[in-house]
Amino acid sequence: MQFQTRKSLEIGYDEALAQLPAALKTEGFGILTEIDVQDTLRKKLGTEFRRYKILGACNPELAHRALQTELEIGLMLPCNVIVYEADDGKTAVSAIDPTQTVGVANNPRLLTELATTVRDKLARATLRLPERQRRGDVRLDPAPVRAAGRHARIRRPRLSARGPRGALGNHVTPHVKSMPA
């Protein structure tokens, strides 16, 4: 039994996390919770784990309809979407398939159609994520931006195909200038 929709991506973990909220928004979902599993395990157990986040996604209209049908369905909300670094070096994104879990509810017949709608919307959202970085795209390192603060002004990096890092889809660090608050 498969209880999720899964997509394997060649884009980086950070890139997938950055693009996921917009992909979910196209289907009416927002992110209510974000659990950094790697950080939690490090703090609580002192152990290392791959980069792994659990996002709680909610479509308010569909959640409201589900709660009107079955109050206890709140135990299954929000819908979990996970992003992690896979063993093959790719990034995995998986979303729960509520049609597989709704059977335990008191009114599974009434909720099956709604669960199918949620499953389809989550699947379409994950399909919107690019499988690989498009040629010519430049991934910006977010660290200098975070370090400069929220009032930073970013200048586009000058790209050259001659250098070891440049316009052919490689990693480029932007020039960041701090602005007064």
Side-chain angles (χ1 to χ4, degrees):
M1 172 173 65
Q2 190 169 359
F3 57 92
Q4 86 281 0
T5 300
R6 185 176 190 276
K7 185 170 183 180
S8 182
L9 309 171
E10 290 181 14
I11 63 172
Y13 173 83
D14 292 322
E15 178 93 14
L17 279 173
Q19 293 191 26
L20 187 56
L24 289 167
K25 188 175 182 178
T26 63
E27 295 294 332
F29 290 88
I31 296 175
L32 299 179
T33 60
E34 183 174 316
I35 301 168
D36 185 331
V37 174
Q38 181 188 48
D39 187 52
T40 301
L41 293 176
R42 183 181 302 125
K43 287 178 182 174
K44 302 289 183 181
L45 301 176
T47 186
E48 287 301 314
F49 192 71
R50 70 183 75 212
R51 297 198 302 169
Y52 191 114
K53 287 203 178 177
I54 303 170
L55 306 175
C58 180
N59 180 311
E61 178 187 328
L62 298 176
H64 183 243
R65 285 175 43 200
L67 288 164
Q68 286 178 317
T69 303
E70 170 78 46
L71 283 175
E72 300 298 318
I73 202 73
L75 292 168
M76 296 182 207
L77 299 177
C79 296
N80 284 335
V81 179
I82 59 173
V83 180
Y84 62 91
E85 291 178 324
D87 291 334
D88 60 5
K90 294 181 180 181
T91 302
V93 177
S94 296
I96 188 70
D97 178 353
T99 64
Q100 298 300 316
T101 57
V102 77
V104 299
N106 291 330
N107 295 314
R109 282 186 182 176
L110 298 174
L111 292 169
T112 300
E113 183 180 326
L114 188 57
T116 301
T117 300
V118 172
R119 178 199 60 203
D120 294 347
K121 285 179 168 289
L122 287 170
R124 283 193 303 267
T126 58
L127 286 173
R128 283 190 171 82
L129 295 171
E131 290 183 27
R132 62 181 51 91
Q133 187 174 349
R134 293 182 303 257
R135 187 180 178 130
D137 281 358
V138 176
R139 284 181 287 177
L140 298 179
D141 183 0
V145 177
R146 281 194 299 270
R150 67 182 182 109
H151 296 291
R153 179 175 39 177
I154 301 173
R155 287 185 249 150
R156 286 184 78 86
R158 293 184 185 247
L159 302 176
S160 167
R162 288 183 281 140
R165 297 188 179 271
L168 300 177
N170 292 322
H171 181 83
V172 176
T173 302
H175 302 284
V176 178
K177 180 178 179 183
S178 293
M179 301 294 291

